[in-house]
Amino acid sequence: MIVKRSPISLTYGTHRTYGFFLILILYFCSNSASAQTKFWIEFRDKGITANDFIRGNPIFEATRKSLSKECLLRRALALNENPLATISIEDAPVCPRYLDSLRALGIIPIIRVKWENAVSAWLTHSQMRSLKRLKFIRRICPIGHVNTLSIEPTTLVHGASMDRRLSMPMPLSDSACGYDPIIYEYGGSQSQLDRINVWPLHAMGFDGSGVRLGLLDVGCDLSVSSLDSTNVLFQYDYVFQDSNVANPQDEHGTETLSTAAGYLPDTLIGPAYHCSVMLAHTEDTRSERNIEEDNYAAALEDMEARGVEITSSSLGYFTFDSGQQSYTYADMNGHTAICTRAVERAAKLGVLVVTAMGNNGTDSVYSHEQAPADADSILACGALDVNDSIANFSSRGPTYDGRIKPDICAPGVNCWAQNSDGTFTGAADGTSFATPLISGACCLIKQAHPEATAQQIRDAVMVTGNNAARPDTAYGWGELNAYAAALELGTVMNLKNLWTDTAIHFCAGIASRYGIQSVALNYFGDSDINPQFASFTLAADSLIYDCTIPFAETGVHLYYRIAAMDGSSATTFLPRSGWNVLFVPQAGVRQLTAPSLQLTTFPNPCSSEFQLNAGEPGHWFLFDILGRVVLSGKSESEVTSPVNVSSLARGVYQIEFISPNGSTQTVPVIVAH
């Protein structure tokens, strides 16, 4: 169910447990052979033993191909394993032979969940009897009563609150090196962004670029003004079974996505306004049925396989319609609900799951969290009112097994968002809106620390909350402080701007919890025997540093890295290892214009695609401004080759071409969609 507050949602806390008993009555007492009840059908195996699930086996290879490179790299970071070693038999699909056997009995699977090795389906008594005779069936049980999932909880060292908030600065002049101007263009989002302290990260140039955020909700209208430039990697409607999440149920999803990632300067800005998103319509507002949890689990599996890093869901499950399977407080133990089991599995595989606590706080019968907020190793979000006190409707902890919830809080009263009809509201209430503020802020933290695991980000968020010294079941670890959480993970560095005219200009955002002692730029050119050295000078304030390098040579490469020493005498480099490479164009020609070389691209700037012409076959690599390879390929002939950049965030990139004889050429590419 949606956890936005509304006249309808005020009834969400009503405690109804008769759904389960009704299922039992229907199952045991009905004399009709055609009476149907919805069950999980669990299989004994995947049609292969775990010992045979190895490289070279067709099922293993098919499973490997179903998992994206981004998925395997995220898993490898979380599990500290070789990427291929993170693939387990749980990732294999449900055995097709078993599904064929079900269809032969007239059983039509509704949703398949590979992690559970199960399908959901409606069964008659006759079908139940037939299934029990099949050797590959492990068990058949009503939704909500399944095996427990073992996952080791993250050990969190509780620390004192670290409220590293800076005062919002006065606007600077229109300089290429200064605070990112977006911090003066928040519009109606000003209050909610200031209160979670994201502006220092925005000022340093962090915007969520390159981070993959998944939203599970109702539909979403991407044509509204704050979302029409959103970089969508994947979308699917699990309710209406199509690939477009714009539908008549898109109000709540539009509001939550705009809160997290909206971009309309001077009107609405989300914390992660340039992140890449995956969208899933899993919630059916026409009713409250168990299949919505099945949709949720299937969508989460799909996003995880596609490499999602952070998910945001403003949904909660506890009470369902008459005839469905409802939960009790005893089920809020982190291991029972289908959606809870799914998010715990995703968390184990390195996804940072951010979800709403629910709006039951004032309910006299049930005031606790709704699934999947009961899961361990995630961020369950509470809502604060305009005075930063816990909102009376925000659901309270603890979980049934005694764990503190919520994990973190953010504004959830009078929030600013965009409606699906294009209008804006400053009266959006609910843990539904605290959640996308927190998930969007976590995208900034992930961008600042790409090497950090989901659990490290979670820990940093919690220990820097303003209630970390005394977490309780109303506020949890307190209000989010995004800037402090980023500093908790180490020195934050971002090459905010880089351009050339008659010289080379660098502008970087740099900060540390210990303060910055010195910042330097080390660089050398193609012809240098010994590296040159240059120092940044402090510009404007303690977050922004810049320098200008007169560089006589043109048509050559400049190799550089930034070194920052903090107050503890620790030095952090950007990039973390190695050197960034910049091609220095002809004197007097700006960086944004491709130099006159044999290697050319057109158009440049480009939107979704450009043509690469090297005049000969070879390999190419596209680097982002931090020196990371974001795309690569092979040019098979002397003719132009198309390069699709629709999945990339806008900005400056470098494409390097390697000829068969080993020589290289590099030109800048501007992505401007």
Side-chain angles (χ1 to χ4, degrees):
M1 65 183 60
I2 298 170
V3 292
K4 169 186 175 182
R5 286 193 79 220
S6 67
I8 295 176
S9 69
L10 293 177
T11 65
Y12 288 170
T14 303
H15 189 59
R16 291 181 291 163
T17 59
Y18 55 78
F20 175 59
F21 298 106
L22 179 58
I23 284 178
L24 295 181
I25 292 170
L26 286 173
Y27 176 57
F28 289 112
C29 301
S30 174
N31 294 320
S32 170
S34 63
Q36 289 187 322
T37 300
K38 189 181 173 216
F39 286 87
W40 272 114
I41 304 170
E42 298 181 22
F43 304 107
R44 291 191 180 277
D45 53 50
K46 295 287 183 79
I48 183 176
T49 66
N51 290 335
D52 292 331
F53 189 72
I54 57 176
R55 295 185 66 179
N57 179 279
I59 297 178
F60 180 92
E61 295 303 323
T63 301
R64 178 179 63 82
K65 291 178 181 178
S66 72
L67 303 174
S68 69
K69 175 185 69 176
E70 293 82 5
C71 166
L72 295 178
L73 291 176
R74 187 206 61 243
R75 288 183 175 193
L77 178 66
L79 301 175
N80 195 26
E81 291 275 8
N82 177 284
L84 288 182
T86 68
I87 303 174
S88 72
I89 199 167
E90 290 176 306
D91 297 311
V94 175
C95 180
R97 298 195 313 274
Y98 300 164
L99 297 179
D100 290 341
S101 297
L102 264 59
R103 293 188 187 98
L105 295 173
I107 300 169
I108 307 301
I110 304 169
I111 293 292
R112 307 175 195 178
V113 182
K114 62 185 180 182
W115 291 343
E116 299 283 352
N117 195 22
V119 299
S120 59
W122 292 93
L123 303 178
T124 65
H125 299 167
S126 175
Q127 290 169 334
M128 282 278 291
R129 290 192 295 269
S130 298
L131 281 180
K132 290 179 179 179
R133 291 193 287 267
L134 298 178
K135 293 183 179 179
F136 60 78
I137 299 296
R138 180 173 180 266
R139 71 166 59 199
I140 307 165
C141 52
I143 298 296
H145 292 264
V146 289
N147 289 337
T148 59
L149 172 68
S150 176
I151 179 171
E152 294 185 6
T154 301
T155 300
L156 181 66
V157 179
H158 299 170
S161 172
M162 289 170 280
D163 192 10
R164 302 190 193 95
R165 297 176 188 265
L166 303 178
S167 299
M168 176 65 81
M170 295 296 293
L172 300 174
S173 61
D174 292 332
S175 167
C177 192
Y179 291 150
D180 192 300
I182 199 67
I183 66 174
Y184 310 114
E185 300 169 357
Y186 284 162
S189 309
Q190 182 84 45
S191 174
Q192 60 206 43
L193 296 185
D194 286 353
R195 288 163 63 193
I196 60 173
N197 207 25
V198 300
W199 84 258
L201 297 175
H202 282 169
M204 297 167 71
F206 293 107
D207 56 12
S209 292
V211 180
R212 295 176 292 279
L213 173 68
L215 186 83
L216 297 89
D217 211 297
V218 297
C220 181
D221 187 351
L222 294 167
S223 68
V224 299
S225 55
S226 71
L227 299 176
D228 58 5
S229 62
T230 303
N231 183 26
V232 180
L233 302 179
F234 163 75
Q235 60 174 307
Y236 191 76
D237 191 319
Y238 292 81
V239 175
F240 297 122
Q241 300 291 306
D242 60 45
S243 57
N244 187 353
V245 296
N247 58 61
Q249 300 184 13
D250 57 18
E251 180 179 359
H252 187 258
T254 305
E255 291 170 342
T256 55
L257 182 60
S258 69
T259 304
Y263 180 72
L264 190 63
D266 296 320
T267 304
L268 184 151
I269 297 294
Y273 57 91
H274 280 158
C275 70
S276 299
V277 301
M278 302 181 189
L279 303 173
H281 175 201
T282 64
E283 179 75 10
D284 192 341
T285 60
R286 297 169 297 185
S287 59
E288 191 64 17
R289 298 184 298 152
N290 299 127
I291 193 173
E292 292 163 84
E293 271 199 280
D294 305 354
N295 294 340
Y296 188 109
L300 191 59
E301 282 188 356
D302 288 344
M303 288 181 177
E304 192 278 330
R306 286 173 167 81
V308 76
E309 294 168 288
I310 298 168
T311 62
S312 182
S313 65
S314 295
L315 303 172
Y317 300 99
F318 190 79
T319 301
F320 294 88
D321 292 341
S322 176
Q324 299 287 299
Q325 174 67 53
S326 291
Y327 293 118
T328 68
Y329 181 38
D331 295 321
M332 299 296 103
N333 56 21
H335 303 301
T336 296
I338 295 300
C339 58
T340 299
R341 291 161 59 83
V343 302
E344 288 202 318
R345 173 68 179 169
K348 183 177 181 180
L349 296 176
V351 178
L352 179 59
V353 175
V354 184
T355 194
M357 277 288 287
N359 301 329
N360 302 328
T362 58
D363 191 275
S364 60
V365 178
Y366 181 78
S367 61
H368 297 291
E369 66 285 319
Q370 299 175 340
D374 63 311
D376 196 5
S377 303
I378 69 165
L379 287 175
C381 306
L384 301 174
D385 65 19
V386 294
N387 298 313
D388 283 338
S389 297
I390 194 69
N392 61 352
F393 60 77
S394 187
S395 294
R396 276 34 173 199
T399 61
Y400 184 75
D401 55 329
R403 286 173 291 114
I404 291 177
K405 291 286 179 175
D407 299 301
I408 198 70
C409 292
V413 173
N414 290 352
C415 291
W416 187 253
Q418 188 167 23
N419 301 312
S420 56
D421 63 4
T423 61
F424 294 86
T425 179
D429 291 355
T431 54
S432 277
F433 300 98
T435 300
L437 287 172
I438 292 170
S439 60
C442 287
C443 289
L444 301 182
I445 299 169
K446 179 64 177 178
Q447 183 187 8
H449 295 284
E451 76 289 349
T453 67
Q455 293 307 307
Q456 288 170 335
I457 294 174
R458 175 180 182 262
D459 290 357
V461 163
M462 293 167 67
V463 300
T464 54
N466 65 359
N467 200 43
R470 52 188 184 283
D472 57 37
T473 57
Y475 293 87
W477 279 257
E479 186 170 24
L480 171 69
N481 185 335
Y483 178 57
L487 297 188
E488 179 69 17
L489 292 167
T491 297
V492 174
M493 302 178 68
N494 182 46
L495 187 57
K496 181 178 161 298
N497 208 343
L498 171 64
W499 74 101
T500 65
D501 39 38
T502 57
I504 304 172
H505 307 272
F506 293 84
C507 179
I510 305 172
S512 167
R513 61 182 294 189
Y514 302 107
I516 297 295
Q517 279 192 349
S518 64
V519 180
L521 176 77
N522 297 300
Y523 72 93
F524 62 94
D526 286 335
S527 62
D528 289 329
I529 298 176
N530 298 310
Q532 310 266 346
F533 180 83
S535 294
F536 277 109
T537 56
L538 181 66
D541 89 318
S542 59
L543 293 177
I544 304 298
Y545 298 79
D546 74 278
C547 75
T548 297
I549 304 175
F551 202 73
E553 295 180 275
T554 61
V556 298
H557 294 89
L558 175 76
Y559 299 86
Y560 67 91
R561 68 178 180 180
I562 300 170
M565 179 183 292
D566 67 18
S568 69
S569 298
T571 300
T572 303
F573 295 97
L574 184 67
R576 294 290 194 260
S577 61
W579 299 78
N580 276 342
V581 183
L582 167 70
F583 185 82
V584 182
Q586 217 169 6
V589 179
R590 288 184 61 82
Q591 169 76 8
L592 304 188
T593 303
S596 178
L597 295 173
Q598 185 180 13
L599 179 67
T600 60
T601 65
F602 180 84
N604 194 8
C606 60
S607 56
S608 60
E609 185 179 272
F610 67 85
Q611 299 291 325
L612 171 67
N613 186 1
E616 59 181 333
H619 292 83
W620 56 267
F621 299 87
L622 190 67
F623 297 85
D624 65 13
I625 203 165
L626 298 182
R628 300 174 296 194
V629 176
V630 293
L631 292 174
S632 62
K634 185 177 181 181
S635 178
E636 299 289 352
S637 65
E638 298 177 4
V639 300
T640 59
S641 301
V643 178
N644 190 315
V645 294
S646 60
S647 64
L648 300 180
R650 59 186 176 183
V652 181
Y653 297 79
Q654 294 282 334
I655 190 164
E656 182 178 76
F657 184 85
I658 303 177
S659 306
N661 63 8
S663 63
T664 62
Q665 299 178 68
T666 305
V667 296
V669 173
I670 311 304
V671 177
H673 54 237

